[in-house]
Every structure is written in structure tokens, then in C-alpha cells.
Amino acid sequence: MASENVVVVTAENFDKEVLQSEVPVLVDFWAEWCGPCKMLGPVIDQLADEYAGKAKVAKVDIDSDDATKQIAIAQNVQSIPAIKVFKGGEVVNETIGAQSKPALAELIDKALA
């Protein structure tokens, strides 16, 4: 079950939810067919709940439509799952592949510091 704290990002709200956010945003670039992405899902949900009010946790389904594919291309996503942490509209941390919860929490913590 997905967390209500995870922001679903589309082409329509990417600028507002990610680039213009006043708090750091961890963005999970994923796709339905991606096994490691699915494994990461519960970790993303837990982080969204734990960081609620301090940072945002968002997901971009890169295959949902052509516009989200363009977001992935613009953000130089070449492999998924790709995790990028944005702060002030810029990528400040990133990693590729399924990562542990502590590793992803560290990326958020660095952006909050």
C-alpha cells in the first residue's frame, strides 16, 4: 500500500512539486516493469512517512506518458531506479539502483543539513 505522503509527480506538477519546493525532495524515477523499482517501493513509502514535514518524497513513473519520459531525459535518467535529491531546484545527491533505506535516508539528511 502506497504512502499518502508520496507525491506522484507528472509533467504538469514537476516544476511546482520538485524544482520550486521549499524543502528537499527525493525523487524516485521508476517504471511498472522494473523489478528493482518495485522492491524499492516499500522503502520509498517508509521514507515519505518518516520525513513528512521535513522533506518531500516523490515518484515519477517514466513510462506513464511521453511527458514523463521527457522529464527523465531532461534529468539525465539513463537507468532505473534512479534516485535524485533536489534542493533549491538543483540535484544535490543521486544514486542508481535499489538502495537500502539507510543509504537513501542519508541522501535526504545531507540535503537537510
Side-chain angles (χ1 to χ4, degrees):
M1 181 164 195
S3 167
E4 62 186 28
N5 292 314
V6 174
V7 178
V8 175
V9 175
T10 63
E12 290 77 31
N13 68 1
F14 183 80
D15 284 357
K16 177 181 178 283
E17 294 291 350
V18 178
L19 301 180
Q20 298 169 10
S21 176
E22 302 211 354
V23 297
V25 186
L26 179 142
V27 181
D28 174 18
F29 292 88
W30 72 288
E32 189 65 39
W33 52 263
C34 170
C37 298
K38 288 183 177 184
M39 290 176 21
L40 198 56
V43 171
I44 296 298
D45 290 343
Q46 291 169 11
L47 290 169
D49 292 341
E50 291 174 19
Y51 284 90
K54 296 182 277 186
K56 277 189 208 175
V57 175
K59 293 178 73 95
V60 175
D61 180 350
I62 66 165
D63 279 349
S64 67
D65 58 38
D66 285 340
T68 54
K69 285 180 186 166
Q70 292 304 314
I71 292 172
I73 291 167
Q75 294 302 321
N76 200 28
V77 172
Q78 298 179 7
S79 181
I80 57 173
I83 306 294
K84 295 182 182 267
V85 179
F86 291 79
K87 183 175 182 181
E90 302 291 326
V91 176
V92 294
N93 291 307
E94 59 188 310
T95 188
I96 296 172
Q99 303 290 324
S100 69
K101 183 178 165 189
L104 295 178
E106 184 177 339
L107 296 179
I108 298 171
D109 291 340
K110 284 180 182 176
L112 287 169

